Amino acid sequence: QLRQLQSQSIGISVNSTYAGGYLHADDIRTLASSSTTLEAQIAMVTQFTEDNFLTLNASKCEIVVFDKAPTRTRVEGLGNIIPVKETAKCLGYLWKQNLSSLPMIEERIQKARKAYFQFGSIYAFQGSLSPVSTCSIVQWCVLPILLYGVENWIMSDESIKKLECFQGEIAKRILQMPKWY
């Protein structure tokens, strides 16, 4: 399916690298630079599913328009009307029309903070572990939670500030510094 989209250049390319579609297990994500391209992609996906006797769940299909003033509120395709939404979740990442990553970063920080404090519940941070051991726990157990989906983040000054604050908070706790410091 993706080879056909790529061979016909249906979708977008970034620096001559095709970026018009992605497959994740039984999900497909396509990227289009115009409504004409989107309609061609929908037609190809529909044809592919019919040719391969697959059923597409149109109720799970959604379109997010990354434009300041989207002109459409729905698109006809896949035998149904597909709504144009302000957000769509893909692999745990919430894509928004304004491309802000801040809500996702805040969610990741909350989950990482929760993971960090789970170790505290077993007295890991009551002075019984060295800062080196605590850093290892953070590196192997907290950072992967924090950085899940980082490849999709579009960083802003506010996002960077939130991540720096979280890093500082964890560093102070590892070094067992007073909160007021």
Side-chain angles (χ1 to χ4, degrees):
Q1 171 67 37
L2 285 180
R3 285 189 206 110
Q4 188 177 9
L5 288 169
Q6 185 175 4
S7 69
Q8 295 183 24
S9 297
I10 298 177
I12 64 170
S13 292
V14 177
N15 293 333
S16 72
T17 300
Y18 180 74
Y22 300 91
L23 291 173
H24 307 283
D26 63 346
D27 291 340
I28 185 170
R29 301 282 185 248
T30 63
L31 302 170
S33 58
S34 69
S35 57
T36 304
T37 303
L38 175 63
E39 289 165 3
Q41 289 172 331
I42 290 171
M44 289 183 92
V45 169
T46 302
Q47 189 62 52
F48 178 83
T49 57
E50 290 172 1
D51 291 349
N52 292 283
F53 306 103
L54 299 170
T55 304
L56 215 105
N57 187 346
S59 69
K60 290 186 175 182
C61 295
E62 51 198 10
I63 295 168
V64 177
V65 177
F66 301 103
D67 194 351
K68 291 181 181 170
T71 56
R72 301 174 117 186
T73 57
R74 57 193 194 154
V75 174
E76 203 164 324
L78 308 171
N80 291 297
I81 302 291
I82 305 170
V84 174
K85 297 186 172 185
E86 290 185 18
T87 62
K89 201 158 196 169
C90 175
L91 298 176
Y93 186 79
L94 186 65
W95 288 96
K96 300 180 85 176
Q97 283 181 333
N98 66 4
L99 294 176
S100 171
S101 295
L102 191 58
M104 186 59 172
I105 291 168
E106 289 171 338
E107 179 183 321
R108 301 309 321 156
I109 289 171
Q110 288 296 75
K111 288 183 178 188
R113 184 177 283 118
K114 183 177 178 181
Y116 179 84
F117 285 111
Q118 288 298 317
F119 288 100
S121 69
I122 57 170
Y123 304 104
F125 304 130
Q126 269 61 23
S128 56
L129 289 180
S130 72
V132 173
S133 297
T134 306
C135 282
S136 291
I137 290 172
V138 169
Q139 178 183 359
W140 294 106
C141 303
V142 177
L143 284 180
I145 292 168
L146 174 66
L147 299 176
Y148 176 78
V150 69
E151 65 277 6
N152 294 313
W153 294 354
I154 298 170
M155 300 301 287
S156 66
D157 289 343
E158 188 176 2
S159 303
I160 293 168
K161 181 76 173 157
K162 294 228 181 233
L163 289 166
E164 286 173 344
C165 287
F166 178 69
Q167 179 183 6
E169 172 190 343
I170 296 300
K172 286 177 186 177
R173 290 180 184 278
I174 289 171
L175 297 172
Q176 300 172 358
M177 296 171 75
K179 290 182 183 179
W180 52 265
Y181 189 87

